[in-house]
Amino acid sequence: MILPTDYQRNGAGNLVDYIRRDREQDAGKTVDLRNPAGRELSDPEVNRFVDKSQEFGFQRHLIVSPDPTGQYSPQEVQTNTRELMNREFAQQPTTDYVYGVHQNTEFPHAHVAATGEPAELELDREDIQQLREQAATVFEEPTRTRDPAATARDAPENPGRVVDQEAREQFHEAELSLNPDAEKALKRASEKSQQKEVGQPTAEKERAESKPEPLSEGAAERPEEQAATERELESEPEPEAERERGWWQ
């Protein structure tokens, strides 16, 4: 489970626009934005949420990205994200949130925009870790991601190549900053990962070829002579300046 988050002391207008943009269509199309009850919001309702965030002057952005090996459907990501956020914010009287699921990658993931009193939305490192663990529980990780029989029940017909975690992390970091070209970061990270996987056998081969050959009997005696010479050199006093530089290094 990857669950990056940040907060800004301003309204959520830009964040909401980022979440709603449909990057597959990108021609006036939008991603469905939903409320804590799971109901799709109308444009006036979205505007009211943005107005509320401007009144609080505070918004938090969370990205819920489950392990792709679980082959979660967009509907599952939507349902589980709502359950997770309702658990997290249920006892916070001023907090409100909206969320949407992005399907423009091989791994569906959800974006959440939350607003409310700053004291309710401030999270420290321990809070974020607990939220990540709770998310793994809601999404049935790691059981589902390790059990092939479990992942098959709702698996898409063409799940595509599973992107490694490092590439996903770089992608979501770009998304967290609302970078409209986040997909480019994902593509670069994925290509780098593939090159690393392809190049690994070659690197191992080079290391194997670089191993020194066994020494002959005559050569085996030379290291002892060299060591004796080095000991003699070490016994010679070095200049004062050299000793001082060596100490600081």
Side-chain angles (χ1 to χ4, degrees):
M1 173 64 65
I2 297 178
L3 205 159
T5 181
D6 73 350
Y7 67 90
Q8 300 290 332
R9 293 187 177 277
N10 54 34
N14 291 338
L15 173 55
V16 167
D17 288 343
Y18 183 87
I19 296 175
R20 297 186 79 190
R21 176 187 162 197
D22 189 331
R23 287 158 183 76
E24 287 189 341
Q25 303 294 332
D26 214 19
K29 301 290 184 179
T30 58
V31 172
D32 294 342
L33 209 60
R34 298 180 180 273
N35 67 4
R39 181 176 60 81
E40 183 180 350
L41 298 178
S42 64
D43 288 343
E45 289 173 320
V46 172
N47 292 336
R48 282 197 289 273
F49 173 82
V50 172
D51 290 342
K52 183 186 298 186
S53 72
Q54 291 174 342
E55 292 175 7
F56 283 115
F58 193 88
Q59 54 92 0
R60 177 169 288 279
H61 182 196
L62 304 100
I63 302 175
V64 183
S65 182
D67 188 333
T69 62
Q71 298 184 0
Y72 297 92
S73 68
Q75 181 59 48
E76 286 178 308
V77 174
Q78 175 183 304
T79 301
N80 292 348
T81 297
R82 182 173 70 251
E83 179 181 346
L84 173 66
M85 292 298 105
N86 285 344
R87 288 187 184 186
E88 177 67 16
F89 299 136
Q91 305 303 318
Q92 298 179 180
T94 71
T95 299
D96 190 14
Y97 74 90
V98 296
Y99 68 100
V101 176
H102 282 189
Q103 305 178 48
N104 57 306
T105 61
E106 297 174 85
F107 45 96
H109 56 280
H111 288 259
V112 181
T115 191
E117 292 289 351
E120 294 181 2
L121 291 175
E122 290 175 345
L123 302 174
D124 59 24
R125 187 182 299 273
E126 184 177 348
D127 294 330
I128 294 172
Q129 180 58 32
Q130 290 177 351
L131 183 59
R132 184 177 291 113
E133 292 172 358
Q134 191 173 26
T137 299
V138 171
F139 279 83
E140 298 180 356
E141 292 184 10
T143 304
R144 173 165 172 170
T145 56
R146 292 178 180 174
D147 183 359
T151 61
R153 60 190 176 194
D154 294 309
E157 293 181 1
N158 182 21
R161 186 178 60 80
V162 175
V163 181
D164 69 12
Q165 180 163 326
E166 183 179 355
R168 288 168 57 222
E169 287 176 348
Q170 293 184 31
F171 169 65
H172 290 317
E173 282 298 320
E175 283 200 309
L176 208 59
S177 63
L178 307 186
N179 185 344
D181 295 324
E183 288 84 352
K184 293 181 180 179
L186 175 62
K187 182 179 179 181
R188 288 193 298 268
S190 299
E191 290 175 348
K192 184 177 180 181
S193 175
Q194 287 179 314
Q195 291 172 357
K196 187 186 300 182
E197 292 173 0
V198 172
Q200 187 66 24
T202 302
E204 291 178 356
K205 182 179 179 181
E206 289 177 352
R207 284 196 298 271
E209 291 176 347
S210 64
K211 289 182 179 178
E213 297 180 357
L215 297 174
S216 63
E217 292 183 2
E221 296 174 356
R222 286 197 291 274
E224 296 180 0
E225 298 174 359
Q226 182 179 358
T229 303
E230 290 175 351
R231 285 195 294 271
E232 292 177 1
L233 292 174
E234 289 175 356
S235 64
E236 296 179 2
E238 61 181 357
E240 188 69 23
E242 291 295 326
R243 286 204 301 274
E244 290 179 358
R245 188 171 67 246
W247 183 83
W248 285 108
Q249 291 176 345

